Amino acid sequence: MIEKPRPSLIAQRPSDIEHRTSVLESDFAADVRRDLALAPKQLQSKYLYDALGSSLFEAICRLPWYRITRAERALLNRHAREIVARLQAPRLSSGQGDESSMPLIVELGCGSGEKIVILAEALQAAGGHARVHLIDISSQALEQSERSLGRLDHISVVGHRETYEVGLRQAALARDGDQPMLVLLLGSNIGNFDMPAAHEFLCAIRGALAPGDALLLGADLVKPETELQLAYDDPLGVTAAFNRNLLVRINRELGGTFDLDAFAHAAVWNPAFNRVEMHLESRADQRVTIARASVSVDFAKGERIWTESSYKYEPQQIEEMGLAAGFVTREQWIDESARFALTLFTAES
Ligand code: AVJ
């Protein structure tokens, strides 16, 4: 089985920030061109999140069959005080708590910002202050998160419209000295990475942290296939719209000629890899041209474009992934009904 290519790093110095939008856009054409030439054909899942795609994802989060968001929200509500208490405790490494050093909270893939608001409110209720850095590929998601956090006192907010890797690097640069840091990787966003890439990414997070800092990881667990099918191919067709919108985006932004009726949404549970795969399946032999990616692509009837992987985990496996990247588990909270785990790690020296 061929693995999806790892999300590429965008070469970028801090002085390039004013160009970052155009960098992201020219990447889209180059990535589409490259990934549709692979066998099997692929498209990177990060491109699902244009403005409409982000709204469709928000709708998915409200579907009764997609339980990740609600399960995670319930766990966060229940344990927010414990989580933020860790931020206010004296640093393990320094041995001395400096009350003037504000904790830095970094959320990778903040989406609508609903989750970080729960933690920020708990921090505020405990009399704490924080600097929050939000990283998301979607400008709509960033604006929404900034707005909801902006209502809170004692919380400063900086947004980065970036890939995780670049955003994490930028946020880590903003850290001063002895500031305690908490990184949030929630919603099972880690599930989009294949195992080697997930390891590499957790190592990159660990590299941005100091001993005693924390990582809060939300990850969906392996569950019966029928439940996964309903979660990723819902009866209302919202997930199908979310997937097929990628073709709408290519048509609009890159001058593509995809006929939407000629591609069907497919969600496939791959038990060998413990992942749900989303594909777009060609309903006919056809040729598609994408002008601004300078490419023509032939599809056979039944041929698929692989657009996303959503890995599912065993609780123990999540701990092992953390351990392999230099973390130890402090707590693991599990919603047994939805089969979802929230794991709080700390960075070890
Ligand atoms: C936001 C990547 C965690 O994989 O479950 C929802 C995206 N895809 N339905 C996931 C998604 C199809 C979601 N993540």
Side-chain angles (χ1 to χ4, degrees), residues 97-152:
D98 174 11
E99 302 202 2
S100 68
S101 87
M102 262 200 257
L104 180 65
I105 305 179
V106 178
E107 183 168 18
L108 300 166
C110 58
S112 65
E114 190 195 27
K115 294 162 283 192
I116 195 153
V117 165
I118 297 172
L119 294 177
E121 280 174 351
L123 191 72
Q124 189 179 259
H129 298 235
R131 296 165 61 200
V132 172
H133 281 246
L134 302 170
I135 293 144
D136 207 286
I137 198 84
S138 154
S139 44
Q140 168 179 297
L142 275 181
E143 282 160 22
Q144 216 177 317
S145 302
E146 286 169 14
R147 239 178 288 129
S148 2
L149 280 175
R151 289 196 294 264
L152 298 172

Side-chain angles (χ1 to χ4, degrees), residues 23-305:
V23 168
L24 287 173
E25 272 154 20
S26 64
D27 269 12
F28 185 33
D31 288 348
V32 165
R33 180 187 164 89
R34 186 198 59 210
D35 294 342
L36 288 180
L38 297 172
K41 294 180 171 69
Q42 318 186 356
L43 288 168
Q44 288 179 44
S45 57
K46 67 181 181 190
Y47 294 119
L48 292 163
Y49 301 92
D50 63 353
L52 179 55
S54 295
S55 298
L56 289 167
F57 177 66
E58 289 301 309
I60 288 172
C61 292
R62 293 166 178 245
L63 294 173
W65 308 280
Y66 189 85
R67 298 178 65 186
I68 289 179
T69 318
R70 277 180 304 278
E72 185 169 59
R73 191 196 305 139
L75 290 172
L76 282 173
N77 275 320
R78 204 168 308 144
H79 302 291
R81 275 194 302 176
E82 280 171 76
I83 295 163
V84 302
R86 198 161 276 285
L87 271 179
Q88 296 175 303
R91 289 292 303 279
L92 294 177
S93 63
S94 65
Q96 245 186 343
D98 174 11
E99 302 202 2
S100 68
S101 87
M102 262 200 257
L104 180 65
I105 305 179
V106 178
E107 183 168 18
L108 300 166
C110 58
S112 65
E114 190 195 27
K115 294 162 283 192
I116 195 153
V117 165
I118 297 172
L119 294 177
E121 280 174 351
L123 191 72
Q124 189 179 259
H129 298 235
R131 296 165 61 200
V132 172
H133 281 246
L134 302 170
I135 293 144
D136 207 286
I137 198 84
S138 154
S139 44
Q140 168 179 297
L142 275 181
E143 282 160 22
Q144 216 177 317
S145 302
E146 286 169 14
R147 239 178 288 129
S148 2
L149 280 175
R151 289 196 294 264
L152 298 172
D153 301 323
H154 312 308
I155 307 281
S156 72
V157 187
V158 179
H160 304 264
R161 185 183 166 223
E162 290 296 352
T163 58
Y164 295 152
E165 292 86 350
V166 176
L168 178 66
R169 230 180 293 143
Q170 291 176 353
L173 285 175
R175 174 188 201 156
D176 46 49
D178 215 20
Q179 232 179 355
M181 188 161 155
L182 168 66
V183 172
L184 309 175
L185 182 58
L186 298 173
S188 211
N189 284 343
I190 192 168
N192 284 165
F193 292 91
D194 66 33
M195 291 304 165
H199 172 69
E200 223 173 89
F201 184 46
L202 289 175
C203 288
I205 294 173
R206 173 63 190 85
L209 297 179
D213 287 340
L215 165 66
L216 186 64
L217 181 69
D220 203 19
L221 301 177
V222 174
K223 64 200 76 195
E225 184 175 349
T226 47
E227 286 176 39
L228 290 167
Q229 275 297 337
L230 281 167
Y232 288 87
D233 192 3
D234 64 89
L236 281 174
V238 182
T239 309
F242 173 65
N243 195 11
R244 294 163 80 231
N245 175 56
L246 188 42
L247 303 181
V248 177
R249 179 177 187 177
I250 292 174
N251 285 352
R252 184 186 62 241
E253 293 186 19
L254 302 179
T257 61
F258 280 104
D259 170 6
L260 293 179
D261 290 332
F263 285 87
H265 168 68
V268 179
W269 170 242
N270 185 333
F273 289 91
N274 277 356
R275 69 185 180 214
V276 179
E277 300 168 2
M278 288 206 312
H279 299 266
L280 290 161
E281 185 173 315
S282 177
R283 296 182 194 269
D285 293 342
Q286 55 183 318
R287 170 168 292 180
V288 175
T289 301
I290 306 169
R292 286 191 282 285
S294 318
V295 71
S296 272
V297 188
D298 288 318
F299 290 89
K301 182 178 177 176
E303 189 178 358
R304 288 167 165 179
I305 310 173

